[in-house]
Amino acid sequence: MMVAPKLRFKADDGSAFPEWEEKTLGDIVERVTRKNRDNQTDVPLTISSLDGLVDQRDYFKKTVASKDMSGYFLLQNGEFAYNKSYSVGFDYGSIKRLDRYPCGALSTLYICFGLKPNVDIDSDYLTHYFDSQKWNSEVAAICAEGARNHGLLNVSTSDFFDINIMSPSLPEQRKIAALLSSVDAVIAAQQAEVDAWEQRKKGVMQKLFSQEVRFKADDGSEFPEWEEKTLGELGTFTKGAALSKADISDDGRPLILYGELYTTYNEVAVHIVRHTEQNVADRFLSRVGDVLIPTSGETAEEIATATCVMQEGVVLAGDLYIYRTVDELDGRIASYLLNHSVNKKIWPFAVWCGWVCQVVTVLRSSLPQVR
């Protein structure tokens, strides 16, 4: 039984809306299996948990789909797709609506569907519902324990359409969708401003790390010329402790998990938001200046990400590498270089673990070779 909502809207006349109903997904949607015959569209789609249904050519900087996509599903604007591949923060995959393009081609390993005609379901409401991950517990119930195959959840199509969905009356759905869409608009406007500042920052860093702009010493003298060295000459790599989100607690030692390199921290981490009461070996506890690098991600660009920890004794856990630099290299500078200069030299070492799963990894033995 799904939990009833704690916050409710009222109708325009002040009256209460009807109670929410529990329906199966199959009651309100129908599966889409139409094929991209004669390659009607040349847009190869993939699902990003954060960005939704996007063109592979833009997201991966290359096409990982087959050249002949006539056997792929043809997804139309406004239809949905379920990606059974789990990723950071999305343990049961992602359900996204196609909004960016009139249509696109999607691998048959995805489950595609659209609203049935004449159902009392607002498409925007359903989009927000799926973004809320309210449905995760339903998928967890049909996904066999440990049934993951190379990053894919073992969820059958028939079971997927049997998951339960909470359905308010159509007028209340529209109120919910309007509110959440207005919040999204504010976030988008704020994000545009943040993105503009990020671009300015990148411009400054480009000039600094290309040595187009150089600082001088406090006495006005020139600093020595920069030297090129490998990461292996400047530090050592170890793997994080085998902890997960299940080990998070309200108290205990500060904790950084692998996924937070994408969602919580930037180049430098000063204030640590998570804690754990798990005991780990000293080698998994941070020293000031340690640099964290994810072992895997959805793209080669993602794994070329780094965060410098400016706090002693933080538990470093999950699928991350701990890069401990020598005294001659400040960890903060190493992090900035890894994010904005050396990152492109890491990309060639990325190893694909399956194009459907959208997972790439980098071996610990490869990183010391990067210059």
PDB file of all heavy atoms in Angstrom, residues 139-172:
ATOM      1  N   VAL A 139       9.369  -0.571  -7.843  1.00  0.00           N
ATOM      2  CA  VAL A 139      10.335  -1.322  -8.652  1.00  0.00           C
ATOM      3  C   VAL A 139      11.193  -2.210  -7.758  1.00  0.00           C
ATOM      4  O   VAL A 139      11.524  -3.342  -8.119  1.00  0.00           O
ATOM      5  CB  VAL A 139      11.216  -0.356  -9.477  1.00  0.00           C
ATOM      6  CG1 VAL A 139      12.349  -1.108 -10.173  1.00  0.00           C
ATOM      7  CG2 VAL A 139      10.365   0.373 -10.513  1.00  0.00           C
ATOM      8  N   ALA A 140      11.534  -1.703  -6.562  1.00  0.00           N
ATOM      9  CA  ALA A 140      12.327  -2.508  -5.628  1.00  0.00           C
ATOM     10  C   ALA A 140      11.610  -3.804  -5.289  1.00  0.00           C
ATOM     11  O   ALA A 140      12.246  -4.852  -5.105  1.00  0.00           O
ATOM     12  CB  ALA A 140      12.600  -1.705  -4.359  1.00  0.00           C
ATOM     13  N   ALA A 141      10.284  -3.753  -5.231  1.00  0.00           N
ATOM     14  CA  ALA A 141       9.502  -4.930  -4.857  1.00  0.00           C
ATOM     15  C   ALA A 141       9.481  -5.993  -5.950  1.00  0.00           C
ATOM     16  O   ALA A 141       9.272  -7.178  -5.668  1.00  0.00           O
ATOM     17  CB  ALA A 141       8.069  -4.514  -4.519  1.00  0.00           C
ATOM     18  N   ILE A 142       9.693  -5.584  -7.209  1.00  0.00           N
ATOM     19  CA  ILE A 142       9.647  -6.557  -8.308  1.00  0.00           C
ATOM     20  C   ILE A 142      11.031  -6.919  -8.818  1.00  0.00           C
ATOM     21  O   ILE A 142      11.168  -7.780  -9.681  1.00  0.00           O
ATOM     22  CB  ILE A 142       8.794  -6.026  -9.481  1.00  0.00           C
ATOM     23  CG1 ILE A 142       9.402  -4.739 -10.059  1.00  0.00           C
ATOM     24  CG2 ILE A 142       7.355  -5.805  -9.050  1.00  0.00           C
ATOM     25  CD1 ILE A 142       8.701  -4.248 -11.308  1.00  0.00           C
ATOM     26  N   CYS A 143      12.039  -6.260  -8.287  1.00  0.00           N
ATOM     27  CA  CYS A 143      13.404  -6.528  -8.717  1.00  0.00           C
ATOM     28  C   CYS A 143      14.008  -7.561  -7.771  1.00  0.00           C
ATOM     29  O   CYS A 143      14.121  -7.317  -6.572  1.00  0.00           O
ATOM     30  CB  CYS A 143      14.228  -5.246  -8.692  1.00  0.00           C
ATOM     31  SG  CYS A 143      15.938  -5.470  -9.224  1.00  0.00           S
ATOM     32  N   ALA A 144      14.365  -8.728  -8.292  1.00  0.00           N
ATOM     33  CA  ALA A 144      14.897  -9.800  -7.458  1.00  0.00           C
ATOM     34  C   ALA A 144      16.169  -9.352  -6.761  1.00  0.00           C
ATOM     35  O   ALA A 144      16.956  -8.581  -7.317  1.00  0.00           O
ATOM     36  CB  ALA A 144      15.180 -11.030  -8.312  1.00  0.00           C
ATOM     37  N   GLU A 145      16.359  -9.797  -5.532  1.00  0.00           N
ATOM     38  CA  GLU A 145      17.534  -9.437  -4.736  1.00  0.00           C
ATOM     39  C   GLU A 145      18.806  -9.792  -5.511  1.00  0.00           C
ATOM     40  O   GLU A 145      19.019 -10.926  -5.918  1.00  0.00           O
ATOM     41  CB  GLU A 145      17.521 -10.184  -3.398  1.00  0.00           C
ATOM     42  CG  GLU A 145      18.688  -9.839  -2.497  1.00  0.00           C
ATOM     43  CD  GLU A 145      18.579  -8.426  -1.931  1.00  0.00           C
ATOM     44  OE1 GLU A 145      17.447  -7.905  -1.848  1.00  0.00           O
ATOM     45  OE2 GLU A 145      19.629  -7.868  -1.572  1.00  0.00           O
ATOM     46  N   GLY A 146      19.659  -8.807  -5.684  1.00  0.00           N
ATOM     47  CA  GLY A 146      20.932  -9.031  -6.352  1.00  0.00           C
ATOM     48  C   GLY A 146      20.802  -9.261  -7.844  1.00  0.00           C
ATOM     49  O   GLY A 146      21.771  -9.626  -8.505  1.00  0.00           O
ATOM     50  N   ALA A 147      19.604  -9.023  -8.390  1.00  0.00           N
ATOM     51  CA  ALA A 147      19.402  -9.306  -9.818  1.00  0.00           C
ATOM     52  C   ALA A 147      19.823  -8.113 -10.657  1.00  0.00           C
ATOM     53  O   ALA A 147      18.999  -7.358 -11.156  1.00  0.00           O
ATOM     54  CB  ALA A 147      17.938  -9.662 -10.079  1.00  0.00           C
ATOM     55  N   ARG A 148      21.126  -7.943 -10.786  1.00  0.00           N
ATOM     56  CA  ARG A 148      21.674  -6.858 -11.589  1.00  0.00           C
ATOM     57  C   ARG A 148      22.669  -7.466 -12.569  1.00  0.00           C
ATOM     58  O   ARG A 148      23.542  -8.240 -12.186  1.00  0.00           O
ATOM     59  CB  ARG A 148      22.367  -5.807 -10.713  1.00  0.00           C
ATOM     60  CG  ARG A 148      21.393  -5.111  -9.751  1.00  0.00           C
ATOM     61  CD  ARG A 148      22.132  -4.269  -8.727  1.00  0.00           C
ATOM     62  NE  ARG A 148      21.181  -3.698  -7.762  1.00  0.00           N
ATOM     63  CZ  ARG A 148      20.892  -2.407  -7.692  1.00  0.00           C
ATOM     64  NH1 ARG A 148      21.471  -1.563  -8.502  1.00  0.00           N
ATOM     65  NH2 ARG A 148      20.044  -1.972  -6.806  1.00  0.00           N
ATOM     66  N   ASN A 149      22.518  -7.133 -13.818  1.00  0.00           N
ATOM     67  CA  ASN A 149      23.357  -7.715 -14.847  1.00  0.00           C
ATOM     68  C   ASN A 149      24.104  -6.601 -15.572  1.00  0.00           C
ATOM     69  O   ASN A 149      23.540  -5.894 -16.394  1.00  0.00           O
ATOM     70  CB  ASN A 149      22.501  -8.512 -15.828  1.00  0.00           C
ATOM     71  CG  ASN A 149      23.339  -9.152 -16.919  1.00  0.00           C
ATOM     72  OD1 ASN A 149      24.529  -9.365 -16.746  1.00  0.00           O
ATOM     73  ND2 ASN A 149      22.700  -9.451 -18.046  1.00  0.00           N
ATOM     74  N   HIS A 150      25.407  -6.453 -15.236  1.00  0.00           N
ATOM     75  CA  HIS A 150      26.237  -5.418 -15.853  1.00  0.00           C
ATOM     76  C   HIS A 150      25.586  -4.043 -15.743  1.00  0.00           C
ATOM     77  O   HIS A 150      25.549  -3.261 -16.688  1.00  0.00           O
ATOM     78  CB  HIS A 150      26.511  -5.748 -17.321  1.00  0.00           C
ATOM     79  CG  HIS A 150      27.222  -7.056 -17.517  1.00  0.00           C
ATOM     80  ND1 HIS A 150      28.511  -7.275 -17.073  1.00  0.00           N
ATOM     81  CD2 HIS A 150      26.814  -8.228 -18.066  1.00  0.00           C
ATOM     82  CE1 HIS A 150      28.873  -8.515 -17.360  1.00  0.00           C
ATOM     83  NE2 HIS A 150      27.864  -9.108 -17.950  1.00  0.00           N
ATOM     84  N   GLY A 151      25.048  -3.756 -14.564  1.00  0.00           N
ATOM     85  CA  GLY A 151      24.471  -2.440 -14.341  1.00  0.00           C
ATOM     86  C   GLY A 151      22.990  -2.342 -14.650  1.00  0.00           C
ATOM     87  O   GLY A 151      22.386  -1.306 -14.434  1.00  0.00           O
ATOM     88  N   LEU A 152      22.382  -3.407 -15.171  1.00  0.00           N
ATOM     89  CA  LEU A 152      20.959  -3.389 -15.513  1.00  0.00           C
ATOM     90  C   LEU A 152      20.147  -4.115 -14.445  1.00  0.00           C
ATOM     91  O   LEU A 152      20.514  -5.207 -14.009  1.00  0.00           O
ATOM     92  CB  LEU A 152      20.724  -4.061 -16.866  1.00  0.00           C
ATOM     93  CG  LEU A 152      21.134  -3.295 -18.114  1.00  0.00           C
ATOM     94  CD1 LEU A 152      20.874  -4.145 -19.346  1.00  0.00           C
ATOM     95  CD2 LEU A 152      20.390  -1.985 -18.217  1.00  0.00           C
ATOM     96  N   LEU A 153      19.039  -3.510 -14.037  1.00  0.00           N
ATOM     97  CA  LEU A 153      18.124  -4.159 -13.102  1.00  0.00           C
ATOM     98  C   LEU A 153      17.316  -5.233 -13.830  1.00  0.00           C
ATOM     99  O   LEU A 153      16.921  -5.052 -14.985  1.00  0.00           O
ATOM    100  CB  LEU A 153      17.180  -3.130 -12.495  1.00  0.00           C
ATOM    101  CG  LEU A 153      17.827  -2.041 -11.629  1.00  0.00           C
ATOM    102  CD1 LEU A 153      16.821  -0.933 -11.364  1.00  0.00           C
ATOM    103  CD2 LEU A 153      18.325  -2.626 -10.328  1.00  0.00           C
ATOM    104  N   ASN A 154      17.050  -6.311 -13.150  1.00  0.00           N
ATOM    105  CA  ASN A 154      16.270  -7.399 -13.737  1.00  0.00           C
ATOM    106  C   ASN A 154      14.789  -7.134 -13.494  1.00  0.00           C
ATOM    107  O   ASN A 154      14.176  -7.679 -12.584  1.00  0.00           O
ATOM    108  CB  ASN A 154      16.700  -8.730 -13.126  1.00  0.00           C
ATOM    109  CG  ASN A 154      16.030  -9.911 -13.805  1.00  0.00           C
ATOM    110  OD1 ASN A 154      15.425  -9.766 -14.864  1.00  0.00           O
ATOM    111  ND2 ASN A 154      16.117 -11.072 -13.185  1.00  0.00           N
ATOM    112  N   VAL A 155      14.216  -6.259 -14.314  1.00  0.00           N
ATOM    113  CA  VAL A 155      12.805  -5.889 -14.212  1.00  0.00           C
ATOM    114  C   VAL A 155      12.115  -6.280 -15.511  1.00  0.00           C
ATOM    115  O   VAL A 155      12.460  -5.780 -16.582  1.00  0.00           O
ATOM    116  CB  VAL A 155      12.645  -4.373 -13.974  1.00  0.00           C
ATOM    117  CG1 VAL A 155      11.172  -3.981 -13.942  1.00  0.00           C
ATOM    118  CG2 VAL A 155      13.345  -3.949 -12.689  1.00  0.00           C
ATOM    119  N   SER A 156      11.147  -7.176 -15.410  1.00  0.00           N
ATOM    120  CA  SER A 156      10.444  -7.599 -16.625  1.00  0.00           C
ATOM    121  C   SER A 156       9.449  -6.523 -17.046  1.00  0.00           C
ATOM    122  O   SER A 156       8.961  -5.737 -16.226  1.00  0.00           O
ATOM    123  CB  SER A 156       9.712  -8.917 -16.388  1.00  0.00           C
ATOM    124  OG  SER A 156       8.578  -8.723 -15.553  1.00  0.00           O
ATOM    125  N   THR A 157       9.123  -6.514 -18.323  1.00  0.00           N
ATOM    126  CA  THR A 157       8.185  -5.516 -18.852  1.00  0.00           C
ATOM    127  C   THR A 157       6.809  -5.660 -18.219  1.00  0.00           C
ATOM    128  O   THR A 157       6.177  -4.665 -17.825  1.00  0.00           O
ATOM    129  CB  THR A 157       8.078  -5.654 -20.376  1.00  0.00           C
ATOM    130  OG1 THR A 157       9.378  -5.453 -20.961  1.00  0.00           O
ATOM    131  CG2 THR A 157       7.115  -4.625 -20.945  1.00  0.00           C
ATOM    132  N   SER A 158       6.330  -6.892 -18.087  1.00  0.00           N
ATOM    133  CA  SER A 158       4.995  -7.100 -17.518  1.00  0.00           C
ATOM    134  C   SER A 158       4.937  -6.642 -16.065  1.00  0.00           C
ATOM    135  O   SER A 158       3.956  -6.011 -15.635  1.00  0.00           O
ATOM    136  CB  SER A 158       4.585  -8.565 -17.634  1.00  0.00           C
ATOM    137  OG  SER A 158       5.533  -9.394 -16.970  1.00  0.00           O
ATOM    138  N   ASP A 159       5.981  -6.955 -15.288  1.00  0.00           N
ATOM    139  CA  ASP A 159       6.016  -6.523 -13.894  1.00  0.00           C
ATOM    140  C   ASP A 159       6.092  -5.002 -13.794  1.00  0.00           C
ATOM    141  O   ASP A 159       5.485  -4.394 -12.903  1.00  0.00           O
ATOM    142  CB  ASP A 159       7.217  -7.137 -13.169  1.00  0.00           C
ATOM    143  CG  ASP A 159       7.009  -8.609 -12.854  1.00  0.00           C
ATOM    144  OD1 ASP A 159       5.849  -9.068 -12.922  1.00  0.00           O
ATOM    145  OD2 ASP A 159       8.003  -9.292 -12.546  1.00  0.00           O
ATOM    146  N   PHE A 160       6.838  -4.403 -14.710  1.00  0.00           N
ATOM    147  CA  PHE A 160       6.979  -2.944 -14.675  1.00  0.00           C
ATOM    148  C   PHE A 160       5.624  -2.258 -14.830  1.00  0.00           C
ATOM    149  O   PHE A 160       5.313  -1.302 -14.110  1.00  0.00           O
ATOM    150  CB  PHE A 160       7.937  -2.485 -15.770  1.00  0.00           C
ATOM    151  CG  PHE A 160       8.062  -0.997 -15.893  1.00  0.00           C
ATOM    152  CD1 PHE A 160       8.721  -0.263 -14.922  1.00  0.00           C
ATOM    153  CD2 PHE A 160       7.505  -0.316 -16.971  1.00  0.00           C
ATOM    154  CE1 PHE A 160       8.843   1.118 -15.022  1.00  0.00           C
ATOM    155  CE2 PHE A 160       7.611   1.061 -17.085  1.00  0.00           C
ATOM    156  CZ  PHE A 160       8.287   1.790 -16.103  1.00  0.00           C
ATOM    157  N   PHE A 161       4.804  -2.735 -15.750  1.00  0.00           N
ATOM    158  CA  PHE A 161       3.502  -2.105 -15.969  1.00  0.00           C
ATOM    159  C   PHE A 161       2.499  -2.433 -14.863  1.00  0.00           C
ATOM    160  O   PHE A 161       1.412  -1.858 -14.825  1.00  0.00           O
ATOM    161  CB  PHE A 161       2.947  -2.482 -17.342  1.00  0.00           C
ATOM    162  CG  PHE A 161       3.636  -1.789 -18.481  1.00  0.00           C
ATOM    163  CD1 PHE A 161       4.385  -2.496 -19.399  1.00  0.00           C
ATOM    164  CD2 PHE A 161       3.570  -0.410 -18.608  1.00  0.00           C
ATOM    165  CE1 PHE A 161       5.037  -1.848 -20.447  1.00  0.00           C
ATOM    166  CE2 PHE A 161       4.220   0.250 -19.638  1.00  0.00           C
ATOM    167  CZ  PHE A 161       4.964  -0.473 -20.563  1.00  0.00           C
ATOM    168  N   ASP A 162       2.882  -3.326 -13.947  1.00  0.00           N
ATOM    169  CA  ASP A 162       2.024  -3.638 -12.798  1.00  0.00           C
ATOM    170  C   ASP A 162       2.352  -2.809 -11.568  1.00  0.00           C
ATOM    171  O   ASP A 162       1.680  -2.955 -10.530  1.00  0.00           O
ATOM    172  CB  ASP A 162       2.145  -5.130 -12.433  1.00  0.00           C
ATOM    173  CG  ASP A 162       1.321  -6.021 -13.365  1.00  0.00           C
ATOM    174  OD1 ASP A 162       0.379  -5.497 -13.996  1.00  0.00           O
ATOM    175  OD2 ASP A 162       1.636  -7.224 -13.468  1.00  0.00           O
ATOM    176  N   ILE A 163       3.381  -1.940 -11.641  1.00  0.00           N
ATOM    177  CA  ILE A 163       3.702  -1.127 -10.465  1.00  0.00           C
ATOM    178  C   ILE A 163       2.569  -0.142 -10.207  1.00  0.00           C
ATOM    179  O   ILE A 163       1.845   0.261 -11.127  1.00  0.00           O
ATOM    180  CB  ILE A 163       5.041  -0.370 -10.613  1.00  0.00           C
ATOM    181  CG1 ILE A 163       4.966   0.698 -11.714  1.00  0.00           C
ATOM    182  CG2 ILE A 163       6.191  -1.331 -10.865  1.00  0.00           C
ATOM    183  CD1 ILE A 163       6.192   1.601 -11.783  1.00  0.00           C
ATOM    184  N   ASN A 164       2.395   0.227  -8.955  1.00  0.00           N
ATOM    185  CA  ASN A 164       1.309   1.121  -8.570  1.00  0.00           C
ATOM    186  C   ASN A 164       1.715   2.585  -8.664  1.00  0.00           C
ATOM    187  O   ASN A 164       2.850   2.951  -8.354  1.00  0.00           O
ATOM    188  CB  ASN A 164       0.851   0.813  -7.146  1.00  0.00           C
ATOM    189  CG  ASN A 164       0.186  -0.545  -7.038  1.00  0.00           C
ATOM    190  OD1 ASN A 164      -0.665  -0.879  -7.853  1.00  0.00           O
ATOM    191  ND2 ASN A 164       0.587  -1.327  -6.047  1.00  0.00           N
ATOM    192  N   ILE A 165       0.760   3.401  -9.072  1.00  0.00           N
ATOM    193  CA  ILE A 165       0.949   4.844  -9.223  1.00  0.00           C
ATOM    194  C   ILE A 165      -0.151   5.560  -8.436  1.00  0.00           C
ATOM    195  O   ILE A 165      -1.312   5.181  -8.500  1.00  0.00           O
ATOM    196  CB  ILE A 165       0.859   5.266 -10.710  1.00  0.00           C
ATOM    197  CG1 ILE A 165       1.966   4.602 -11.518  1.00  0.00           C
ATOM    198  CG2 ILE A 165       0.918   6.777 -10.857  1.00  0.00           C
ATOM    199  CD1 ILE A 165       3.354   5.068 -11.195  1.00  0.00           C
ATOM    200  N   MET A 166       0.224   6.596  -7.692  1.00  0.00           N
ATOM    201  CA  MET A 166      -0.764   7.396  -6.967  1.00  0.00           C
ATOM    202  C   MET A 166      -1.362   8.439  -7.916  1.00  0.00           C
ATOM    203  O   MET A 166      -0.630   9.221  -8.524  1.00  0.00           O
ATOM    204  CB  MET A 166      -0.129   8.083  -5.768  1.00  0.00           C
ATOM    205  CG  MET A 166       0.321   7.124  -4.673  1.00  0.00           C
ATOM    206  SD  MET A 166      -1.056   6.209  -3.943  1.00  0.00           S
ATOM    207  CE  MET A 166      -1.875   7.496  -3.007  1.00  0.00           C
ATOM    208  N   SER A 167      -2.682   8.438  -8.026  1.00  0.00           N
ATOM    209  CA  SER A 167      -3.353   9.288  -8.997  1.00  0.00           C
ATOM    210  C   SER A 167      -4.388  10.203  -8.335  1.00  0.00           C
ATOM    211  O   SER A 167      -5.448   9.739  -7.910  1.00  0.00           O
ATOM    212  CB  SER A 167      -4.052   8.411 -10.055  1.00  0.00           C
ATOM    213  OG  SER A 167      -4.810   9.210 -10.944  1.00  0.00           O
ATOM    214  N   PRO A 168      -4.091  11.515  -8.229  1.00  0.00           N
ATOM    215  CA  PRO A 168      -5.110  12.465  -7.766  1.00  0.00           C
ATOM    216  C   PRO A 168      -6.143  12.705  -8.871  1.00  0.00           C
ATOM    217  O   PRO A 168      -5.994  12.222  -9.997  1.00  0.00           O
ATOM    218  CB  PRO A 168      -4.302  13.742  -7.510  1.00  0.00           C
ATOM    219  CG  PRO A 168      -2.861  13.388  -7.715  1.00  0.00           C
ATOM    220  CD  PRO A 168      -2.818  12.159  -8.541  1.00  0.00           C
ATOM    221  N   SER A 169      -7.159  13.486  -8.562  1.00  0.00           N
ATOM    222  CA  SER A 169      -8.097  13.907  -9.595  1.00  0.00           C
ATOM    223  C   SER A 169      -7.347  14.788 -10.595  1.00  0.00           C
ATOM    224  O   SER A 169      -6.321  15.386 -10.270  1.00  0.00           O
ATOM    225  CB  SER A 169      -9.261  14.681  -8.985  1.00  0.00           C
ATOM    226  OG  SER A 169      -8.793  15.894  -8.411  1.00  0.00           O
ATOM    227  N   LEU A 170      -7.855  14.873 -11.812  1.00  0.00           N
ATOM    228  CA  LEU A 170      -7.174  15.632 -12.861  1.00  0.00           C
ATOM    229  C   LEU A 170      -6.960  17.098 -12.472  1.00  0.00           C
ATOM    230  O   LEU A 170      -5.863  17.637 -12.686  1.00  0.00           O
ATOM    231  CB  LEU A 170      -7.954  15.515 -14.173  1.00  0.00           C
ATOM    232  CG  LEU A 170      -7.268  16.102 -15.420  1.00  0.00           C
ATOM    233  CD1 LEU A 170      -5.917  15.461 -15.656  1.00  0.00           C
ATOM    234  CD2 LEU A 170      -8.177  15.897 -16.649  1.00  0.00           C
ATOM    235  N   PRO A 171      -7.963  17.804 -11.886  1.00  0.00           N
ATOM    236  CA  PRO A 171      -7.711  19.196 -11.486  1.00  0.00           C
ATOM    237  C   PRO A 171      -6.576  19.332 -10.462  1.00  0.00           C
ATOM    238  O   PRO A 171      -5.784  20.269 -10.522  1.00  0.00           O
ATOM    239  CB  PRO A 171      -9.052  19.641 -10.892  1.00  0.00           C
ATOM    240  CG  PRO A 171     -10.074  18.755 -11.540  1.00  0.00           C
ATOM    241  CD  PRO A 171      -9.387  17.437 -11.689  1.00  0.00           C
ATOM    242  N   GLU A 172      -6.499  18.379  -9.519  1.00  0.00           N
ATOM    243  CA  GLU A 172      -5.414  18.455  -8.535  1.00  0.00           C
ATOM    244  C   GLU A 172      -4.068  18.134  -9.187  1.00  0.00           C
ATOM    245  O   GLU A 172      -3.040  18.732  -8.844  1.00  0.00           O
ATOM    246  CB  GLU A 172      -5.678  17.514  -7.362  1.00  0.00           C
ATOM    247  CG  GLU A 172      -4.670  17.726  -6.228  1.00  0.00           C
ATOM    248  CD  GLU A 172      -4.999  16.934  -4.976  1.00  0.00           C
ATOM    249  OE1 GLU A 172      -5.957  16.136  -4.993  1.00  0.00           O
ATOM    250  OE2 GLU A 172      -4.283  17.123  -3.966  1.00  0.00           O
TER     251      GLU A 172
END
